[in-house]
Amino acid sequence: MSPVLAGALQFLALIAALALAYRPLGDYMARVYSSEKHLRVEKWIYKGIGANPNAEMRWTAYLRGVLAFSAVSVLFLYLLQRVQGSLPGSLGFKAIDPDQAFNTAASFVANTNWQSYYGEQAMGHVVQTAGLAVQNFVSAAVGIAVAVALVRGFARSRTGELGNFWSDLVRGTVRILVPIAALGAIVLVACGAIQNFSGIHEVGQFMGGSQQWNGGAVASQEAIKELGTNGGGYFNANSAHPFENPNGFTNLFEVFLILVIPFALTRTFGKMVGSVRQGYAILATMATIWIAFTALMMWTEFAHHGPAFDVAGGAMEGKENRFGIGGSSIFAVATTLTSTGAVDSFHSSFTGFGGGITMLGMQLGEIAPGGTGSGLYGMLIMAVIAVFIAGLMVGRTPEYLGKKIGSREIKFAACYILITPALVLIFTAVSMALPTPPNSMLNSGAHGFSEILYAYTSGANNNGSAFAGLSADTQWFNTTIGLAMLLGRFLPMVFVLALAGSLAEQRPVPATAGTLRTEKPLFTGLLVGTLLIITGLTYFPTLALGPIAEGLAS
C-alpha cells in the first residue's frame, strides 16, 4: 500500500470514529450541564471546598471563580515543583528552578503544557501525578465551563445569571473527563503504553551501550493530556516516544481523543440553545478548516523534492517510521488546530510550508475544533463578528440566536480577537530586537525567526507545541512565554464571560424575513471567510518573513 493511500485511509477512519461519537457524547454533555441533580461524590467535593452548587452566578462572580481557582492552582503547582527534592518518589531530581517552575505552573494551569524541560530528567512521580496530571483534568474542565457559560448566555434571556462555576467545574471533571480518560488509559496500556511507578534503570541499546530510563503513570497522563487538549508529555519526545505512543493504532487513537470533545461540544451547543442545526453550522465550519488543513499538510509533506525525498516517499525528516508522513500530518494538524501541543514528530523538520500550516492553525485562534471548551467559545465569538459584518453589509441590526449584537457586544468580541495577536507580535518583536534571545535559535534566517514566532504563537494561543529548534529554557523565555500563556488564557475569558452576561440580559428578538439564517451553509461560508481574512490581515507580514519565505526558497 502506498504511503499516500495509507494516510488517506487513516484520515477516513478517524472521520468515521468522530462521526460515531459525535451525537451520543454531545447529547450526554448537554445533559450533564443541564441537570439539576448532583452525584454523591460531587456533593462531597462541594462540601470539601465550601461551595454552594445551586447558587446562580452573574458573569462577574463566575469570572472571580475562574480566576481564583486558577490562581490557587498556579501557586500550588509552583510550590510543588520548588519542594520536589524533599518529596517521596522524586527519583533523585532536585527542585525546579524558580523561572522554570513559574513557566511550568503557568503552562499547565493555562491548558498550554509548554515544556522547557526534559520530562524524564526533571520531574518525579509526585509532581507528575499530583501536580501536572491533576491540572490536565481541571484546566480542561475550566475551559468547558466557560464555553457552557457563553452558551447559557445565548440560551437565557432577561437574566444575567450564567450558572455556577464550581458545579460546572466539578461536573466536567467527574462526569466527562475522568471516565473517558480512564477508558482511554486502559486502551493505551493494552496497546503497549507503560503505567507504573518504577525508578530509574538501565536500558540496553541496539547499537551497544545503555541508556537510563524511568517509568511512570504514563498511559493515564497520556489519555488526559490528549482528551483535555493539554499536550504535556511524560517524556521529552512527547507522543513520539514509544512508551507514550507505541504504534500506528495508538497514534490514531490519540488524535481521536484530541478531537472528540471539541467537535462534540458543537452538538452540546445546539441542544442547549434549542436548535441542533445551529450546532451543525458551527461543526461544518470547524470540519471544513480541519479537513482543508489536513489535506494541505499531506500534500506539502508528500511532495517530492530531489532524490532523498523520492527514496523516502516524502519529507520523512523528523518523523517516526512507526507513523509515517500520513499519521504525522494528521497528528500535527490536529494538535495545532486545537490547544493540545502534543507532537508525534518535530514540526521544525517539516517543510517550510508544512511548518507554516502548523503555525497558521494556531494563529486562527485554535477553533477548528480548538481546545476543550476554548474552541467552542472562540468559534462563537467569531460567529458574532461574522454576523456583525453581515449586518453592516445589508444595513440592519445584526442578530445571532435571537440576540442583538450591539456596540457593547461587538466591543467584547473585538477585544477578544485582539488580545492573542498583540501578545504574539509584541513578544516576538521584542525577542528579535534584544541581543540575547536570538542566541537560543538553532537556525538563522527565516527558519530561526519562525522558531521564535512559533514559540509565542504556541504560548499565547495555549497550544504548547514547539518548533524544537529553540532553546527556550532561559530566564527570558521562561518568564515571557509564561506571561503570554497566562494572559492568552485568562484575558480572553474575561471578555467571553462579559459577552455571555450581556447576552443573557437581553430579551429574545423574534426572527423575521430579514434575519440572517445562521444555520445555513451560506453562513458557514461567511464564517470561514471571516476567520481567514481576519487571521490573514493580522499575521501575513510575519508569516511572509518566516515560513512563507522559507517555503519559497526551498
Side-chain angles (χ1 to χ4, degrees), residues 103-118:
N103 180 276
T104 304
S107 174
F108 278 77
V109 173
N111 198 239
T112 309
N113 294 31
W114 169 275
Q115 294 170 288
S116 61
Y117 59 88
Y118 297 95

Side-chain angles (χ1 to χ4, degrees), residues 460-501:
N461 284 283
N462 301 132
N463 181 271
S465 64
F467 233 36
L470 183 70
S471 299
D473 186 16
T474 66
Q475 286 190 350
W476 170 260
F477 284 120
N478 279 333
T479 303
T480 56
I481 294 176
L483 290 173
M485 290 186 289
L486 289 176
L487 295 174
R489 173 70 165 179
F490 296 109
L491 278 182
M493 285 184 176
V494 174
F495 297 107
V496 170
L497 292 172
L499 175 62

Side-chain angles (χ1 to χ4, degrees), residues 423-482:
L423 292 172
V424 173
L425 298 177
I426 290 172
F427 277 126
T428 300
V430 173
S431 294
M432 292 301 297
L434 293 177
T436 303
N439 294 335
S440 297
M441 299 186 309
L442 181 64
N443 301 278
S444 59
H447 195 85
F449 173 76
S450 294
E451 291 174 3
I452 290 183
L453 176 62
Y454 191 106
Y456 287 110
T457 299
S458 178
N461 284 283
N462 301 132
N463 181 271
S465 64
F467 233 36
L470 183 70
S471 299
D473 186 16
T474 66
Q475 286 190 350
W476 170 260
F477 284 120
N478 279 333
T479 303
T480 56
I481 294 176

Side-chain angles (χ1 to χ4, degrees), residues 18 34-35 40 64 66 100 106 194 198 201 218 226 231 255 318 322 342 380 402 419 457:
L18 291 169
S34 301
S35 173
R40 181 175 297 180
R64 285 197 298 271
V66 171
Q100 192 172 74
I194 68 170
S198 69
H201 52 276
V218 176
E226 311 295 15
V255 177
R322 289 174 292 144
L380 291 178
I419 290 169
T457 299

Side-chain angles (χ1 to χ4, degrees), residues 125-144:
H125 292 321
V126 174
V127 175
Q128 290 275 20
T129 55
L132 306 185
V134 169
Q135 287 306 315
N136 282 345
F137 282 97
V138 295
S139 66
V142 168
I144 301 177

Side-chain angles (χ1 to χ4, degrees), residues 73-288:
S73 297
V74 171
L75 180 61
F76 171 78
L77 189 52
Y78 175 83
L79 293 176
L80 193 66
Q81 295 175 82
R82 294 292 294 138
V83 300
Q84 175 177 248
S86 304
L87 297 174
S90 65
L91 302 177
F93 298 142
K94 64 181 180 64
I96 307 300
D97 293 335
D99 58 307
Q100 192 172 74
F102 163 73
N103 180 276
T104 304
S107 174
F108 278 77
V109 173
N111 198 239
T112 309
N113 294 31
W114 169 275
Q115 294 170 288
S116 61
Y117 59 88
Y118 297 95
E120 64 270 35
Q121 299 177 20
M123 300 294 183
H125 292 321
V126 174
V127 175
Q128 290 275 20
T129 55
L132 306 185
V134 169
Q135 287 306 315
N136 282 345
F137 282 97
V138 295
S139 66
V142 168
I144 301 177
V146 173
V148 169
L150 179 58
V151 173
R152 291 192 186 114
F154 284 109
R156 296 180 176 183
S157 60
R158 288 171 287 189
T159 176
E161 297 172 343
L162 301 175
N164 185 283
F165 167 70
W166 304 107
S167 175
D168 293 339
L169 172 69
V170 172
R171 289 183 179 194
T173 304
V174 172
R175 302 193 197 184
I176 298 172
L177 296 172
V178 168
I180 300 177
L183 290 174
I186 292 171
V187 172
L188 291 174
V189 169
C191 293
I194 68 170
Q195 181 77 8
N196 56 55
F197 289 101
S198 69
I200 298 175
H201 52 276
E202 296 286 332
V203 177
Q205 296 178 315
F206 288 113
M207 302 301 292
S210 64
Q211 190 172 1
Q212 287 190 334
W213 285 109
N214 57 277
V218 176
S220 57
Q221 185 154 320
E222 189 74 11
I224 187 56
K225 95 173 190 187
E226 311 295 15
L227 181 67
T229 60
N230 299 284
Y234 211 98
F235 299 99
N236 183 54
N238 207 274
S239 293
H241 199 292
F243 287 178
E244 293 192 23
N245 192 2
N247 52 56
F249 171 78
T250 59
N251 188 66
L252 206 60
F253 179 67
E254 290 182 13
V255 177
F256 170 80
L257 290 177
I258 290 171
L259 299 173
V260 65
I261 289 180
F263 272 131
L265 275 172
T266 62
R267 173 80 180 185
T268 304
F269 161 69
K271 295 288 287 187
M272 292 183 70
V273 299
S275 174
V276 294
R277 297 179 69 184
Q278 296 287 349
Y280 287 141
I282 298 298
L283 171 67
T285 304
M286 292 177 171
T288 298

Side-chain angles (χ1 to χ4, degrees), residues 16-63:
L18 291 169
L20 289 173
Y22 175 75
R23 183 167 182 168
L25 181 56
D27 289 350
Y28 171 70
M29 290 191 292
R31 291 194 299 270
V32 166
Y33 290 107
S34 301
S35 173
E36 296 182 358
K37 296 181 179 180
H38 305 293
L39 301 180
R40 181 175 297 180
V41 65
E42 294 172 351
K43 292 179 181 178
W44 293 342
I45 296 172
Y46 299 140
K47 186 176 181 179
I49 63 177
N52 178 6
N54 298 312
E56 288 283 338
M57 294 179 173
R58 298 182 67 84
W59 78 267
T60 49
Y62 204 100
L63 176 63

